[in-house]
Amino acid sequence: MNSRPGGVLGRLAGKVTERVVETVQPDLVLSHVDVDALVDRVDLNRALARVDLNQLLERVDLNLLLEHVDLNLVLDRIDIDRLIDRVDVERLLERVDIERLVRRSGLPQVVVESQTRLAGSLLDAVRRQLAGLDAILNRGITRLLRREPAPRSRTVTGEYAGVVTRATATALDILLIATTFTIGLAGVNLLTTSFWGVEVRHALPATIALAVFAFSYAFGFLAVAGRTPGQGTIGLRVVRSDGGPIHPGQALRWVVGFPLSVVLFGLGFVSIVFQREHRALHDLIAGTTVVYDWGERPAELPGPLSAFLARHEDTGSP
C-alpha cells in the first residue's frame, strides 16, 4: 500500500528536477559560483591519486603538443648555470664506462696505427741514408776500378746491398745476440743459485753456450725467414745468387762460413767492397748474396742523392 504513493512522489520529484534543469541557465549559475572557494575545497592529492597517468599519456598527441611548443622561448627561460651547478659530475662520471667509450671511439687503434706509421717512416729514413752511403761508396769504387757504372734509379729493391748496410745489420745482430744471451745467462744464474746454490762463473762453458746460441740465432732465422732480425731491421735479405730464396743447406753454409770471413783478419769481408755483387767469403761458400728488401715498401735512395747520381752519370762528370 505504501509503495504506490512513494512511486508517485518519486516520479513527481523527477519531473520537477527535469523542469528546473531545463529552466536554469548554465551561464547564470556559473556567474554565481566562487571558483576560488571551490578550488580551495578540492583535495588535489586525492584527485591526482585517482588519475590514471598511463591512460592520460596514451591520449596525448605528442607531435601535436610539440608543434605548439616554442623551443627558443623554453631555452631562453632555462638558467644553464644553475642547471649545471645542480649536476653531480663525480656521480655522473662514476656511471660512465670510460674504457668502453674509448674502445668504441676507435682511439686506441688510431694511436697504434699512427705510431706504427711514424716508426716505419723513421726506420725508412735511416734505411735510405745507409743505402745512400752504399751508393756513394760504390760510385767511388766504380770510378777507381774504371768500371762501367750500372744504371741508377731511386728504387733499389732487389739490388746488391753494399758494405755500409751489411756492416750495420751485422752490428745490430751482434748487439741483439749479446743482449739476449746476457739476459738469459743472468736468468739461468739466478735459477741455479736459488735452487742449487751454484753460480755460473766459468768462462769456457759460457763461451761455448754463446757460440751455440749465436749459431742457433743466425741459422734459425736464415732458414725460416731468409734474414736475421738485424738484417730485417735494416732492410736486407739473403738470397741465392740467381735471386731465389735460400734453402736450409745454404743457410747452414752461410752461418758456418761467416767465422771464416772473420778469422782471416777480416779479409773475407773485403770482397764486399770491391766485388760487383758485394759478396763476402761466406756468401761465395754458400752461393748466396744479400739484397735490399724492405718488405711491402720499395727500398729507395734519398731523393737528392738519387738525382745527383743520375745527373752526373748522364753527363759523365766525376
Side-chain angles (χ1 to χ4, degrees):
M1 297 295 291
N2 295 331
S3 61
R4 187 173 180 179
V8 173
L9 292 176
R11 287 196 298 273
L12 181 60
K15 293 292 184 179
V16 173
T17 302
E18 291 177 2
R19 295 296 302 272
V20 171
V21 171
E22 292 176 357
T23 306
V24 174
Q25 298 180 3
D27 294 337
L28 180 62
V29 173
L30 291 174
S31 64
H32 291 79
V33 174
D34 187 349
V35 178
D36 293 333
L38 180 62
V39 170
D40 291 338
R41 298 186 65 180
V42 173
D43 187 347
L44 291 178
N45 293 329
R46 185 177 178 183
L48 291 174
R50 300 183 65 181
V51 174
D52 188 346
L53 292 178
N54 293 327
Q55 186 177 1
L56 178 62
L57 291 175
E58 288 177 358
R59 302 185 65 179
V60 173
D61 188 344
L62 293 178
N63 295 326
L64 182 62
L65 180 63
L66 291 175
E67 289 178 0
H68 291 79
V69 174
D70 188 345
L71 293 178
N72 293 326
L73 180 61
V74 172
L75 292 175
D76 290 339
R77 299 187 65 180
I78 295 176
D79 188 344
I80 301 297
D81 294 332
R82 184 178 178 184
L83 181 63
I84 293 176
D85 290 339
R86 298 186 65 180
V87 174
D88 189 344
V89 179
E90 293 182 357
R91 184 178 178 184
L92 179 63
L93 291 176
E94 288 176 357
R95 302 184 65 180
V96 176
D97 190 346
I98 301 296
E99 183 177 354
R100 183 180 178 185
L101 183 63
V102 171
R103 285 199 306 268
R104 294 189 63 182
S105 68
L107 184 60
Q109 184 178 357
V110 172
V111 172
V112 171
E113 290 178 354
S114 63
Q115 290 177 345
T116 302
R117 287 195 296 268
L118 178 60
S121 299
L122 293 175
L123 183 59
D124 286 351
V126 174
R127 291 170 171 175
R128 278 192 289 270
Q129 300 308 314
L130 294 174
L133 293 175
D134 278 343
I136 294 173
L137 181 59
N138 292 339
R139 183 172 183 272
I141 295 299
T142 298
R143 298 188 66 84
L144 177 65
L145 300 178
R146 299 181 181 278
R147 292 177 182 167
E148 184 68 22
R152 176 64 62 184
S153 63
R154 182 174 182 181
T155 301
V156 294
T157 300
E159 294 189 10
Y160 303 118
V163 65
V164 177
T165 49
R166 293 193 60 172
T168 305
T170 301
L172 184 56
D173 277 325
I174 293 174
L175 178 62
L176 290 173
I177 290 171
T179 303
T180 306
F181 180 77
T182 301
I183 295 174
L185 183 62
V188 171
N189 191 28
L190 178 62
L191 291 175
T192 56
T193 303
S194 301
F195 288 98
W196 299 287
V198 178
E199 185 176 356
V200 180
R201 293 183 177 181
H202 299 288
L204 182 59
T207 303
I208 295 174
L210 175 60
V212 172
F213 176 75
F215 171 83
S216 302
Y217 170 95
F219 173 71
F221 282 111
L222 285 175
V224 174
R227 53 183 167 188
T228 62
Q231 292 170 340
T233 302
I234 301 303
L236 304 178
R237 183 182 293 276
V238 180
V239 297
R240 296 198 309 260
S241 56
D242 61 359
I246 63 174
H247 52 73
Q250 288 180 300
L252 178 62
R253 293 199 299 270
W254 195 95
V255 176
V256 172
F258 187 88
L260 297 178
S261 298
V262 178
V263 298
L264 297 176
F265 303 100
L267 295 178
F269 298 107
V270 175
S271 58
I272 299 177
V273 179
F274 295 100
Q275 194 196 41
R276 187 181 293 273
E277 297 178 352
H278 307 303
R279 300 172 73 185
L281 176 61
H282 52 282
D283 290 315
L284 297 173
I285 294 173
T288 61
T289 187
V290 180
V291 298
Y292 298 106
D293 184 351
W294 294 6
E296 297 179 354
R297 298 186 297 277
E300 297 178 337
L301 295 175
L305 176 61
S306 179
F308 170 80
L309 294 176
R311 184 170 60 252
H312 282 266
E313 286 173 2
D314 291 341
T315 60
S317 59

